[in-house]
Amino acid sequence: MALKPRTAPSVVRLTAPLRAWAQRFSIFLFIVASVMLMVAGRVDTPAADTIRGRVIDAFAPILEAFAAPAATAARVVDAVIEARDLYGENQRLREQNALLLQWQQAALRLEAENRSLRTLLNVRPDPAVSFVTARVVAEPGGAFVRTVLVMAGRRNGVRRGQAAMSGVGVVGRVVEVGEWSSRVLLVTDLNARIPVQLEEGRVRAVLAGDNTDRPRLMHLASDAHVAVGDRVVTSGVGGMFPAGLPIGVVGSVTERMIRVQPLTDLRRLEHVKILDFGLPTNLLGTSP
Amino acid sequence: MTGGGFLHQLDRQGRSIAPSAITLVFILLGVVPVPLPGWEAIAPQLALASVYYWAIHRPDLLPPWLAFLFGVLGDLTSGSMPGLTAVGFLLVHAVVLSQRRILSRGNVLIMWAAFAAIALLVALVSYLLVCAINLVVLPIRPVLLQAVLTTAAFPFVAAVCLQLHRAFLVLE
């Protein structure tokens, strides 16, 4: 009877460090598992794709509910700023409008000329383009990834590899597809590589994101002449994107690096168009 | 009698998921688009603060394995490398476990200061992991800025968690 009070604390004294040790060990094991998951995540497997699709499907509706008030708040702020700058903006738009009317005339003339030349040459037209417009519902925080989650998925005809555009230019490529939501990898992301060419001179290159706002031009011929302001469009090489979609303009040229300013402000995307070019989907590595 | 016992059980279970629920909400809040220039690169990791709070006060309700699960879920939602956020959450648990005696005293300033150190540690470890696995050198400025903003957001997250803690978990 006298022994009991003595043994009980000693057991506690023994188990407490043991439990702490076990807890520490389990945390360590989970950290190792996480790092292994990170490494394994680099490899694309169909199972991982399915899981990713399910997860974004599950959260997209909730995120959509969150995104709506955030967008409203942003619009209110924008409206105030716009009201302040109304006069100058009006002036600027008038000038731009005059300029654009001239361009419209030029475009109409060129279109007519192009049409007649095509009939002469018997060119096979590119397959018709269809698109779905989707709302951006999530824009993950973090310094390591540039993607957006959009509310359109397999049911809306979205497939992996399709191009995502804003009104003016390419913003990225679909990398994960769920039933009603999908993820677009922006051109600025670390893992984005898009075959492009400079409109001037048809010089080919690869547009490579590095998580900064302005992706780099890589694999450019060493004798290529590049100037600030040159337009960068997709080259269609590799069959991922059709040729000629505008992406951006050359923003800066230095000895070591050429950076491209995307046409779209990728930091405030509200809607994107996902384009279906009727490309053979089996080439893009997807099966319905 | 048994009915009352069952309801009591249900009530307890319901209350005990509060830490998980609020952490999940913070994970989702973290990816809501905020149309501020450059925001998404430095958006505070609210969920990190939530995991920290519960790791100090109720580690039994948000144990390491659940933190791991939430981390992976967060990564799948945000499209970043699966496991990256999980490493952060687990580092929080590791540090809290080693400094529990100091942290559980309840001094808010000490908690905040310790969290600043943890946020910095998590930022640096994540940065090194991403650079090593992708074989690139990324700009470190956004990573450090994010740690600063995460630290700044701590009082807000802690206040929310404290309210939940008082409302649902004190009576037990």
Side-chain angles (χ1 to χ4, degrees):
Chain A
M1 206 60 195
L3 271 177
K4 210 176 178 188
R6 228 186 301 161
T7 46
S10 82
V11 167
V12 169
R13 225 178 292 147
L14 211 126
T15 52
L18 206 68
R19 198 185 299 153
W21 185 84
Q23 214 168 358
R24 230 161 270 185
F25 188 65
S26 79
I27 292 177
F28 172 74
L29 273 188
F30 276 120
I31 290 182
V32 171
S34 308
V35 175
M36 278 164 60
L37 204 60
M38 282 175 79
V39 177
R42 304 273 299 156
V43 186
D44 263 338
T45 57
D49 275 355
T50 315
I51 294 172
R52 283 166 183 274
R54 290 278 154 75
V55 170
I56 59 175
D57 269 354
F59 287 113
I62 308 172
L63 288 168
E64 194 184 25
F66 282 168
T72 309
R75 258 197 293 278
V76 170
V77 173
D78 275 353
V80 172
I81 294 173
E82 273 168 23
R84 202 191 57 196
D85 300 339
L86 210 56
Y87 181 76
E89 181 77 358
N90 209 356
Q91 204 79 358
R92 200 179 62 77
L93 285 176
R94 244 184 257 276
E95 285 162 22
Q96 197 180 36
N97 197 22
L99 196 69
L100 287 177
L101 279 174
Q102 287 174 22
W103 275 109
Q104 191 196 21
Q105 290 306 316
L108 287 174
R109 204 184 62 236
L110 287 172
E111 192 192 350
E113 187 179 304
N114 202 356
R115 205 182 304 129
S116 76
L117 290 175
R118 271 172 194 267
T119 52
L120 286 177
L121 288 171
N122 206 9
V123 174
R124 189 175 68 90
D126 287 338
V129 175
S130 62
F131 63 85
V132 318
T133 302
R135 173 188 270 288
V136 171
V137 294
E139 198 174 60
F144 306 119
V145 59
R146 296 285 175 274
T147 68
V148 292
L149 202 63
V150 299
M151 271 315 259
R154 201 169 285 120
R155 288 184 190 172
N156 311 97
V158 176
R159 297 287 176 271
R160 210 172 156 194
Q162 287 176 345
M165 295 186 73
S166 68
V168 284
V170 173
V171 298
R173 179 170 60 94
V174 176
V175 288
E176 286 169 24
V177 185
E179 280 303 314
W180 51 78
S181 62
S182 47
R183 182 180 304 288
V184 173
L185 188 78
L186 298 180
V187 295
T188 45
D189 187 273
L190 184 62
N191 289 309
R193 296 283 181 280
I194 299 174
V196 294
Q197 61 188 6
L198 297 171
E199 215 169 39
E200 203 78 20
R202 319 307 278 175
V203 188
R204 287 196 174 145
V206 170
L207 188 71
D210 58 0
N211 282 3
T212 62
D213 286 344
R214 299 198 298 175
R216 293 179 298 157
L217 271 191
M218 293 196 339
H219 307 308
L220 198 69
S222 53
D223 57 342
H225 180 72
V226 184
V228 172
D230 283 356
R231 276 167 60 86
V232 178
V233 300
T234 54
S235 69
V237 174
M240 206 164 70
F241 286 1
L245 301 177
I247 295 185
V249 295
V250 174
S252 68
V253 181
T254 61
E255 279 291 304
R256 289 173 51 237
M257 208 172 279
I258 300 173
R259 290 201 172 270
V260 173
Q261 177 71 49
L263 290 174
T264 317
D265 186 357
L266 297 175
R267 297 172 304 196
R268 37 194 323 166
L269 286 173
E270 254 190 82
H271 294 92
V272 297
K273 271 196 302 193
I274 312 247
L275 277 68
D276 182 3
F277 291 96
L279 293 174
T281 44
N282 53 348
L283 277 182
L284 301 170
T286 47
S287 45
Chain B
M1 195 67 195
T2 44
F6 173 71
L7 280 181
H8 182 69
Q9 277 285 327
L10 200 67
D11 181 53
R12 262 178 50 135
Q13 294 289 332
R15 285 163 186 273
S16 65
I17 62 167
S20 307
I22 191 66
T23 305
L24 207 57
V25 168
F26 280 127
I27 287 176
L28 293 179
L29 269 183
V31 298
V32 168
V34 176
L36 285 176
W39 173 260
E40 74 285 349
I42 56 170
Q45 293 171 282
L46 303 175
L48 196 73
S50 176
V51 169
Y52 174 69
Y53 182 94
W54 297 112
I56 293 173
H57 293 105
R58 293 300 299 264
D60 54 324
L61 297 184
L62 195 63
W65 66 268
L66 205 54
F68 169 77
L69 207 68
F70 280 163
V72 174
L73 209 63
D75 286 324
L76 290 179
T77 318
S78 74
S80 64
M81 306 170 76
L84 183 64
T85 310
V87 169
F89 288 178
L90 290 164
L91 279 178
V92 169
H93 265 281
V95 174
V96 168
L97 192 65
S98 68
Q99 306 297 328
R100 175 175 304 286
R101 202 160 296 171
I102 302 170
L103 291 173
S104 55
R105 266 185 226 153
N107 184 321
V108 178
L109 278 181
I110 290 179
M111 261 181 79
W112 197 359
F115 182 70
I118 290 176
L120 190 67
L121 174 78
V122 169
L124 290 178
V125 169
S126 319
Y127 174 80
L128 290 177
L129 276 174
V130 172
C131 288
I133 291 175
N134 288 301
L135 298 175
V136 289
V137 180
L138 291 167
I140 196 167
R141 255 175 60 99
V143 184
L144 297 178
L145 261 175
Q146 184 177 39
V148 170
L149 279 189
T150 304
T151 305
F154 174 72
F156 160 71
V157 176
V160 172
C161 290
L162 185 67
Q163 288 302 320
L164 266 189
H165 196 165
R166 284 195 182 140
F168 290 112
L169 297 170
V170 168
L171 289 177
E172 265 185 35

